[in-house]
Amino acid sequence: MKKIPRFIPLAASLLALATLTACVAPAPIYHTSRYPYQPAQAAPYPYAAQPGAYAEFGHIANIEVLRSQTQGYGTSGGGAVAGGVIGGVVGNQFGRGGGRGAATALGVVGGALLGNAIEAQNNAPRVYESYRVSVQTDNGAYRVFDVPHPGDLRIGERVRIDNGQISRY
C-alpha cells in the first residue's frame, strides 16, 4: 500500500478551513421613511436633470442616525458538518495507534464546534447605520438627504446643494 505524503491532507485541510471562513456578511437593508414636511414630487430633484441647473443654499437643520438591521438566519448544521470533517482530517495527522484515533475524535468534535460557531456568527443579525441630513434652504423649503456618513457637516452650518449633492459652503 502506497503511503500518501503528509502535506497533501494538511494542505487540503487548510484549503477547506479557508473556504469555510470566507463567508460574506449579508447586504444591509435600509428602511427609510418620508418626513411629513417633505413634499411629494414626481422626481426627487427635477432641476438636476435640466441643463444649466442652479445651486441652492441653506443650513443644516437636523442630522439623524438611521439604524437598520438585517434579519439573522439560524445555523443549518452545514458549518458543524464541514468543521467536523476538517477537524477529523487535521486530527488524524497527529499521534500513532490509539492516540491517532483520540486525536481524530477530538478534531471532529472541536471542528464541529468551531464550524457551528463560525456559521452562527456569519448568519447573525447585522446592524447598519446611515444618516438623514435635513437642510432648510434659503427660500424656506426643506430638503432631506440620506447619506452613509455625514462627513464634516454639523447642525447649523451653511451648505450648498448642487445637482443633488450637499457640501459645506
Side-chain angles (χ1 to χ4, degrees), residues 16-157:
L17 183 63
T19 303
L20 181 66
T21 58
C23 298
V24 178
I29 300 171
Y30 293 108
H31 300 285
T32 58
S33 61
R34 296 180 54 85
Y35 273 11
Y37 53 77
Q38 183 181 11
Q41 298 176 351
Y45 306 105
Y47 63 88
Q50 300 170 358
Y54 66 96
E56 289 184 287
F57 298 90
H59 69 277
I60 304 288
N62 195 17
I63 299 176
E64 292 180 78
V65 178
L66 302 175
R67 286 187 176 85
S68 61
Q69 182 173 340
T70 59
Q71 183 178 354
Y73 307 100
T75 58
S76 64
V81 170
V85 168
I86 293 169
V89 170
V90 171
N92 194 36
Q93 302 301 311
F94 300 101
R96 289 193 175 101
R100 176 173 284 190
T104 302
L106 188 62
V108 167
V109 171
L113 291 173
L114 181 63
N116 192 48
I118 291 171
E119 182 183 18
Q121 181 182 10
N122 286 334
N123 292 342
R126 305 245 188 250
V127 176
Y128 298 93
E129 288 186 352
S130 64
Y131 298 85
R132 177 165 286 164
V133 179
S134 302
V135 177
Q136 184 176 12
T137 61
D138 289 344
N139 64 3
Y142 279 89
R143 301 271 190 247
V144 179
F145 300 88
D146 289 343
V147 295
H149 193 272
D152 59 352
L153 298 176
R154 303 289 178 255
I155 294 175
E157 285 187 337

